[in-house]
Structure formats: C-alpha cells, structure tokens
Amino acid sequence: EAEASAGQARFGLDSLRVTGSFLSETLHSEGAPGGPSQRASSFITTTEADPLAHKWRSQRLLLIVLNTNSAEVVITAFNIWSIVLTCMDADRRADVPGRGPLEPSAPLDRMTGLCFALFVVEFVVRFYAEGKDFPQRIANCVDTVVVLAGILEYTLKAAALDAGSIS
C-alpha cells in the first residue's frame, strides 16, 4: 500500500526563482515482514526570473523597443550607412597623384554628422535603459569606444584641429 504526499515550495531570490517540488512515499519493502520503509525523492526546477523586474518602467519599455527586430534593422541600416559615408570620406581625402587630397563636401560632412548624432542618441538611450547591466555586453563596450572617439574627433574639429593630421 502506498501513501503519497506531495508539496510545492517557491523561493524568490534576487535574480532567480526556484520552484521546488517534492514527493515522499511510504512503501512496504519487499522481504521485510510488515516493516515499512521510508523512501523520499525530490527535485528542484529553476526558472530565471523576469530579467527586467529590477528596472524602472521607462527602462523596461525602452529595452523592449530597442530589442525588437525593427529597431535592430533601423540601427543596423544607420551603421551601414555610416560605414559607406566613412568610405566616401576616406576616398575623397585620399592623396591622388596630380590632384592631392580633397576636403569632404559639405553634404557628406552633414550626413556623417547626422549619422553620428543618431548613433549618440541610440547610445544614450541604451545606456539609460540597460543601467548597471550596460557594460556586460561587448557590443556596448565597443559602442562606448566609438562614441568617445567620435566626440574627441568633433571636439578637435571644433578647436580647429584635424584629427587626421595628429601624428
């Protein structure tokens, strides 16, 4: 004859929710004349708690929007466009024999500045949305270096220095 009792316990931790289930059975063992033996088995299942639970509502909403496929496509398109503009700028500044390097055209310079401004806005929004989790992604660390280098370049341009001429 088996007598079973089942129970469940739930423990909330900071970043992990542990759900424990246990089942204990009382069985009469074979070979023992009427002597019951206790056998208990247990298991614990874990599920990750909501990773956004510790964030403010505005941070959660921004992360949900930033991590959509549509937002990723738009951000990637601007990154590719920025690379194309950088190549066009490098090609224009190349030292061609008989012609010499050319200064970038005003429209090209404005488009490059616009792409950088959008990149900085996305960086600031992501920095706010991710909070203390920001440095945990390598892509965010790379973005930090790119933004700081761009700010340095625009600062040097504003100071009438060309970052390309510093050796």
Side-chain angles (χ1 to χ4, degrees):
E1 158 180 325
E3 185 183 302
S5 66
Q8 249 185 357
R10 203 170 265 202
F11 308 96
L13 302 175
D14 285 342
S15 62
L16 192 65
R17 183 177 62 232
V18 179
T19 305
S21 298
F22 60 90
L23 175 66
S24 64
E25 302 172 344
T26 305
L27 300 173
H28 293 287
S29 64
E30 291 182 32
S37 65
Q38 184 83 28
R39 189 182 92 197
S41 62
S42 66
F43 64 93
I44 295 177
T45 57
T46 60
T47 57
E48 191 171 332
D50 182 14
L52 303 179
H54 67 283
K55 301 208 179 280
W56 294 339
R57 186 170 189 254
S58 59
Q59 289 176 307
R60 287 193 303 264
L61 292 174
L62 285 172
L63 280 174
I64 288 169
V65 170
L66 284 173
N67 292 327
T68 62
N69 287 336
S70 301
E72 292 292 332
V73 166
V74 169
I75 292 167
T76 302
F78 273 108
N79 286 335
I80 291 171
W81 182 241
S82 179
I83 291 169
V84 168
L85 291 174
T86 302
C87 291
M88 290 170 63
D89 182 46
D91 189 43
R92 187 163 175 82
R93 290 179 187 236
D95 192 9
V96 177
R99 176 180 64 109
L102 300 174
E103 286 300 313
S105 66
L108 180 64
D109 208 23
R110 281 192 298 271
M111 286 190 291
T112 304
L114 176 66
C115 279
F116 180 69
L118 291 172
F119 190 70
V120 169
V121 167
E122 185 259 338
F123 173 81
V124 169
V125 168
R126 190 171 295 277
F127 185 82
Y128 168 74
E130 292 191 12
K132 66 180 180 177
D133 299 331
F134 185 81
Q136 294 178 359
R137 290 183 54 213
I138 297 213
N140 291 341
C141 296
V142 171
D143 288 350
T144 302
V145 171
V146 170
V147 166
L148 292 176
I151 290 172
L152 177 65
E153 179 183 0
Y154 281 100
T155 302
L156 291 174
K157 280 184 181 179
L161 295 173
D162 186 11
S165 66
I166 296 177
S167 323

